[in-house]
Amino acid sequence: MIPAERDVSQSRWFLAGMRGLFSLPAMILMISFVGFAAFALQSGVTRAEAMFMTATVWALPAKMILIGTMTSGANLLAIFLAVTLSSIRLMPMVASLVPELRTSRTQTWLLLLLSHFVAITAWVFAMGSIKDVPREGRTAYFAGFGITLVVVNTLLVGLCYGLVASFPPVVAGLLFFLTPSYFIASIWATGRQSVVKVAFVIGALAGPLLAVVMPGFDILVAGLGGGTLAYLVDRFVIRAGKGSTTAEPGTVVQAEEVV
């Protein structure tokens, strides 16, 4: 009786995750994939190739880099490195989300499978709603959302591939640009730690400057350098300032007396 109840509970949370398709992050991402279909069509990528990229690469910026390097005539190794470096940015998201999903009975292969669906939209949605889901149902909940989102967007790219040819280029561009605009707002709104906001500000300021000074390496340098600088600022300025203001003078005196 207990295993049957557990299966019903898992199915219920999987369906609850599927309903996340109608959330604001998912809707904005689907609109952006219409813009991606237009970009793929204009770049000479076939319908099947665009759908395959959506299902396997998944992260929208990585697919843009993949198509951009392909059309520029870059060799296979350069394409591989460019997409890999773009996808490394998702590692902190996976590292922060997996502990929220894992239980003592969760198998490693399942977590590895679910990590494929972790991108900014899925991470923002999960981190904002997973706290309201019992830990036993979190893997099913995220699986329902992630799998549904990938499947629907893959089909959407296939359906819209021919339709977007009739869109004015400005409209297609605006549809695609909607995703980064949403990402900027959502990352700032969901940043729970001060280091996230500090890194966001440093990246926003350093990115345009490095794009002029170090074109081609601007994202890498802004990410690694900005993230390191944000950690140092948070560790030695913000936290140190909070620690000095919250410390009680009496406690310090007692510690000195004991020494």
Side-chain angles (χ1 to χ4, degrees), residues 1-251:
M1 185 63 180
I2 295 178
E5 292 180 352
R6 186 171 182 272
D7 290 341
V8 172
S9 178
Q10 295 295 311
S11 300
R12 180 169 65 86
W13 285 115
F14 186 89
L15 292 174
M18 291 180 64
R19 288 195 293 270
L21 184 69
F22 302 100
S23 64
L24 181 61
M27 297 296 290
I28 291 178
L29 183 65
M30 286 189 288
I31 294 174
S32 300
F33 266 98
V34 176
F36 168 73
F39 178 74
L41 176 64
Q42 295 173 359
S43 300
V45 176
T46 66
R47 185 195 306 266
E49 290 171 341
M51 295 178 67
F52 181 77
M53 289 179 186
T54 304
T56 56
V57 180
W58 179 226
L60 193 54
K63 288 194 289 292
M64 295 297 297
I65 293 174
L66 176 59
I67 293 179
T69 51
M70 287 171 54
T71 55
S72 66
N75 59 58
L76 185 60
L77 179 60
I79 296 173
F80 173 79
L81 290 176
V83 176
T84 299
L85 290 174
S86 170
S87 300
I88 287 176
R89 65 193 170 84
L90 302 177
M91 289 180 60
M93 298 181 189
V94 175
S96 63
L97 181 59
V98 165
E100 300 292 333
L101 303 177
R102 183 170 48 200
T103 67
S104 58
R105 295 190 299 269
T106 306
Q107 297 181 350
T108 303
W109 69 266
L110 179 58
L111 295 174
L112 292 175
L113 176 63
L114 293 179
S115 66
H116 171 69
F117 305 105
V118 178
I120 294 181
T121 299
W123 183 80
V124 169
F125 175 83
M127 296 302 289
S129 60
I130 204 78
K131 60 181 181 298
D132 299 323
V133 179
R135 184 166 288 273
E136 292 75 14
R138 291 182 178 180
T139 53
Y141 179 79
F142 183 75
F145 178 73
I147 294 173
T148 303
L149 193 63
V150 172
V151 171
V152 169
N153 278 288
T154 301
L155 296 176
L156 185 64
V157 168
L159 291 173
C160 295
Y161 182 85
L163 297 177
V164 294
S166 60
F167 288 2
V170 174
V171 174
L174 289 175
L175 289 174
F176 185 80
F177 191 71
L178 185 61
T179 290
S181 300
Y182 171 75
F183 287 169
I184 291 173
S186 60
I187 291 175
W188 180 267
T190 56
R192 300 177 182 177
Q193 300 175 336
S194 58
V195 65
V196 176
K197 296 184 181 295
V198 173
F200 185 93
V201 173
I202 293 176
L205 296 176
L209 176 62
L210 291 173
V212 177
V213 178
M214 304 178 63
F217 296 92
D218 50 332
I219 297 178
L220 179 62
V221 175
L224 294 177
T228 302
L229 180 59
Y231 169 78
L232 295 175
V233 172
D234 180 72
R235 176 69 177 82
F236 296 104
V237 178
I238 298 178
R239 294 188 184 183
K242 291 181 179 179
S244 61
T245 56
T246 56
E248 297 181 0
T251 305

